[in-house]
Amino acid sequence: MIPYGRQSIDEDDIEAVVAVLRGDMITQGPAIEEFEASLCASTGAAHAVAFSNGTAALHGAVAAAGIGTGDLLVTTPLTFVASANCGKFVGASTGFVDIEPETLNLNPTRIPRNADALVAVHFAGLPVELERLNRRPRVVIEDAAHALGATTPDGPVGNCAHSDMTTFSFHPVKPITTGEGGAVTTNDAELAERLRRFRSHGVMRDPAGPAWIYDVVELGYNYRLTDLQAALGRSQLTKLDRFIDARNAQAATYADRLAGLDIELAPEPRGSGRHGRHLYPIRVGGRDRVAADLRDRGIGVQLHYVPVHLHSLYRADGWKRGDFPLAEHAADRLLSLPIHPSLKHDELENVLVEIGAAVAATSAESR
Ligand SMILES: *Cc1c(COP(=O)(O)O)cnc(C)c1O
């Protein structure tokens, strides 16, 4: 099965991890700080705080911003559930902003008046046009799990030009990987300090006091990344540009070669800036048949995503089908095609042939 996404690991990545294994510190050593510094250099943010995964990074961001009980956190229904769950982690209530079909991102001109926090998800790696926000809630967090390496007219995603914090995931299908991993970037030194405390049990040390004394000042977690993972992340980050270029080249091939089919191609950026191309989401009628057919043909297509409000956990809050019709309509037709730097030329050619066949077979049947 050709997967829709997977990691790209080279010998130098392996050597970077082995070097840490041979050293003294395998967690919270120098590799973490080096990886964080590389993330700052790559995104243009003043601070980066590594986390054990992207979900922990979101939890940290929402907690550091002081979101909690009585607050309303809004996000897009068309995302991985962690983008919404981070509100539940801290006792906030959740709301959703329906998508713009042209971008598949939430509509930035429809942020409700009563929103305290916005989690703006750069779906598939296409940045949300945050300069178009109709209002700016107290807290703006970018969920850039799909979008490391993407750029906006205001610079790299992660520079927080229009937000307080940006979160990343380094799961194997994401733009770079550390196995599991995540990070938060911010330009606010105080938020960075709170994120570091939250990551490590709420511990505070007095720099003037003895090194063996610490105080736990608030509830924190163990959300630390290991040095093994950080070394892998730093090595991966040196290849980010090449990875994103490869993804964009594959997307251009899809756009060119699938143009004649009865499908809607993945959204293209509208202004200047580079798409991250984490996913290549097409929309097609008879999606379930096309998807089953493609999987029978060895093409590992996926659905991103079942809208968050239609999961049982959120239905229990009262959400139902019909609440966000644009996201629901898209989700009924969406299909993510394989796209990742280690996808080989002949595999891509094979995908193109099989999609043509599967779409033709499905539309012949529906006539
Ligand atoms: C992957 C992902 C996350 C969560 O990241 P993990 O590292 O898997 O915890 C959050 N938001 C979005 C949009 C994602 O795709």
Side-chain angles (χ1 to χ4, degrees):
M1 186 82 87
I2 300 174
Y4 83 90
R6 62 156 289 164
Q7 70 277 18
S8 301
I9 303 283
D10 303 322
E11 273 313 309
D12 59 330
D13 295 313
I14 294 167
E15 279 162 24
V17 176
V18 170
V20 173
L21 271 171
R22 294 190 196 284
D24 291 329
M25 315 267 280
I26 60 172
T27 196
Q28 291 296 104
I32 294 284
E33 278 172 32
E34 287 163 11
F35 180 42
E36 290 175 343
S38 303
L39 280 170
C40 287
S42 166
T43 58
H47 310 275
V49 182
F51 275 81
S52 49
N53 56 69
T55 304
L58 278 165
H59 188 184
V62 169
I67 294 297
T69 310
D71 289 327
L72 174 66
L73 178 145
V74 299
T75 189
T76 172
L78 197 62
T79 185
F80 184 59
V81 70
S83 314
N85 281 354
C86 62
K88 287 186 180 284
F89 293 162
V90 295
S93 52
T94 323
F96 299 96
V97 179
D98 208 353
I99 64 162
E100 289 183 305
E102 308 78 49
T103 62
L104 294 170
N105 281 326
L106 64 73
N107 186 333
T109 68
R110 297 283 166 82
I111 309 304
R113 197 179 303 277
N114 56 346
D116 298 288
L118 167 65
V119 174
V121 180
H122 305 313
F123 181 81
L126 181 63
V128 177
E129 295 159 349
L130 289 172
E131 64 281 2
R132 291 172 54 215
L133 282 183
N134 60 319
R135 63 169 50 84
R136 201 195 137 91
R138 190 168 94 235
V139 177
V140 177
I141 296 167
E142 297 171 65
D143 178 348
H146 298 183
L148 183 65
T151 64
T152 76
D154 298 308
V157 166
N159 70 356
C160 303
H162 298 280
S163 67
D164 300 290
M165 287 171 274
T166 304
T167 69
F168 296 97
S169 164
F170 310 127
H171 177 277
V173 298
K174 304 291 164 77
I176 65 162
T177 191
T178 60
E180 296 278 0
V184 184
T185 58
T186 182
N187 295 317
D188 183 323
E190 201 179 311
L191 284 175
E193 195 49 47
R194 270 188 241 151
L195 287 163
R196 288 182 206 285
R197 264 207 312 270
F198 188 81
R199 171 176 74 179
S200 206
H201 308 287
V203 161
M204 193 137 93
R205 288 171 198 276
D206 178 0
W212 60 90
I213 299 293
Y214 62 84
D215 185 27
V216 174
V217 295
E218 65 196 13
L219 186 63
Y221 294 77
N222 180 352
Y223 278 163
R224 295 187 300 255
L225 194 71
T226 65
D227 270 43
L228 307 176
Q229 295 168 302
L232 176 56
R234 186 163 173 239
S235 176
Q236 288 262 296
L237 208 45
T238 63
K239 305 164 200 187
L240 178 63
D241 273 331
R242 176 156 64 75
F243 285 172
I244 303 299
D245 284 346
R247 288 174 178 276
N248 272 291
Q250 289 162 5
T253 302
Y254 278 139
D256 180 35
R257 303 272 299 279
L258 299 177
L261 291 184
D262 188 17
I263 64 172
E264 198 173 343
L265 298 169
E268 295 294 326
R270 294 195 279 206
S272 61
R274 180 164 73 162
H275 199 310
R277 298 294 184 191
H278 166 57
L279 303 171
Y280 193 84
I282 62 166
R283 279 164 276 183
V284 58
R287 189 272 319 278
D288 290 349
R289 293 206 66 107
V290 174
D293 200 3
L294 280 170
R295 291 187 76 99
D296 285 346
R297 295 163 187 261
I299 315 295
V301 291
Q302 267 291 347
L303 163 61
H304 298 95
Y305 293 92
V306 173
V308 175
H309 67 285
L310 298 181
H311 284 294
S312 302
L313 178 68
Y314 284 85
R315 285 182 189 266
D317 292 339
W319 301 109
K320 57 188 186 309
R321 185 164 271 279
D323 286 342
F324 303 100
L326 299 174
E328 292 164 14
H329 180 73
D332 288 343
R333 302 164 55 81
L334 276 167
L335 196 60
S336 298
L337 306 185
I339 189 167
H340 52 86
S342 45
L343 186 67
K344 296 188 185 68
H345 176 76
D346 56 323
E347 290 176 322
L348 184 61
E349 288 297 320
N350 179 225
V351 173
L352 287 162
V353 169
E354 298 296 0
I355 291 167
V359 170
T362 299
S363 49
E365 253 171 52
S366 63
R367 265 197 292 274

